[in-house]
Amino acid sequence: MANEPAVVLLSGGLDSATVLAIAKHEGYRLHALSFRYGQRHSVELAAARRVAEQFGVERHVVADIDLRLFGGSALTADIAVPRHGHVDELDDSIPVTYVPARNTIFLSFALAWAESLGGNDVFIGVNALDYSGYPDCRPEYIAAFERMAALATKAGVEGTQRLRIHTPLIELTKAQIIERGLALGVDYSLTHSCYDPDSEGRPCGSCDSCLLRGRGFAEAGLPDPALTGRA
């Protein structure tokens, strides 16, 4: 797909950094899209900028929306982020860190940008194995969004766009994701995954995201650079 534009949703976390590397490896022209959506901290946006710079994206856009208007999540309201002593305490229930309709909102922005670029391709780092039970990370959701997109845009109706949502991580474990990213040159010390870092941006180590990330590095036989300070 050399010289074709692709919009890559880039949160600054481990998964999205890996997806950006995959899109680059596949020859797409990279257009990274991040969001300032009222989340608890801006550390992840700084990480997204670092990752975008590492991979030399053509353009990195940070879109401003305010999901605090609606609340309903520990990431956008005055609700405590759950902490756990061990990753085995996590279950399949949808946690309070779920942000209502977040991936639908993000993908809608990505669809709009892809249409304006004359492109057909959007990349997102959703995962259906090592994830926190979010409903908008499942394959059936992605397939439904693609079907909707064909009806939702001028380019789709006129047949000049057929949106493809690439989910290269959807059937991988965190350890497999890390191994794939390292093979493609991802510097995971640039990334940030914690839901509730301290005032200096250091990860808590006990939220869902930190625990899943930590297990992935452990299973890959590597230290997590976010916790060790080593790349």
Side-chain angles (χ1 to χ4, degrees), residues 11-231:
S11 69
L14 183 154
D15 293 342
S16 68
T18 307
V19 166
L20 188 69
I22 291 170
K24 181 173 183 177
H25 178 71
E26 293 182 359
Y28 288 93
R29 290 167 30 220
L30 303 178
H31 296 74
L33 178 57
S34 306
F35 292 89
R36 187 180 294 108
Y37 63 91
Q39 60 266 56
R40 298 175 71 93
H41 60 83
S42 61
V43 180
E44 64 182 15
L45 291 176
R49 286 191 292 271
R50 294 192 297 266
V51 173
E53 289 170 4
Q54 182 196 0
F55 286 98
V57 304
E58 193 165 307
R59 188 179 178 197
H60 180 205
V61 169
V62 179
D64 285 291
I65 52 178
D66 192 357
L67 299 184
R68 291 175 299 180
L69 294 170
F70 311 126
S73 167
L75 303 189
T76 57
D78 189 18
I79 301 171
V81 172
R83 304 292 182 89
H84 306 278
H86 194 275
V87 68
D88 290 341
E89 295 177 13
L90 304 182
D91 57 33
D92 293 333
S93 62
I94 299 173
V96 72
T97 50
Y98 163 73
V99 178
R102 182 174 62 178
N103 279 349
T104 302
I105 294 165
F106 289 0
L107 283 170
S108 296
F109 273 68
L111 171 61
W113 196 8
E115 184 178 22
S116 72
L117 291 168
N120 296 295
D121 300 280
V122 169
F123 283 76
I124 183 172
V126 294
N127 179 263
L129 294 180
D130 285 348
Y131 77 122
S132 295
Y134 298 156
D136 50 6
C137 290
R138 297 172 298 159
E140 52 266 42
Y141 163 76
I142 296 297
F145 193 98
E146 283 186 335
R147 292 194 298 271
M148 180 278 297
L151 305 173
T153 65
K154 178 177 183 289
V157 170
E158 293 180 349
T160 59
Q161 180 193 54
R162 183 66 179 178
L163 185 74
R164 295 183 292 264
I165 302 178
H166 300 254
T167 59
L169 312 183
I170 201 159
E171 295 182 351
L172 301 183
T173 67
K174 270 288 189 289
Q176 290 170 329
I177 292 167
I178 291 164
E179 290 165 355
R180 180 75 188 279
L182 290 173
L184 295 175
V186 176
D187 180 355
Y188 286 115
S189 71
L190 303 178
T191 67
H192 179 90
S193 303
C194 181
Y195 290 147
D196 194 22
D198 67 16
S199 60
E200 296 184 13
R202 292 174 299 205
C204 70
S206 57
C207 68
D208 292 16
S209 186
C210 281
L211 291 171
L212 290 169
R213 175 183 170 123
R215 182 174 66 183
F217 275 101
E219 291 178 350
L222 298 166
D224 182 350
L227 298 177
T228 65
R230 292 183 284 123

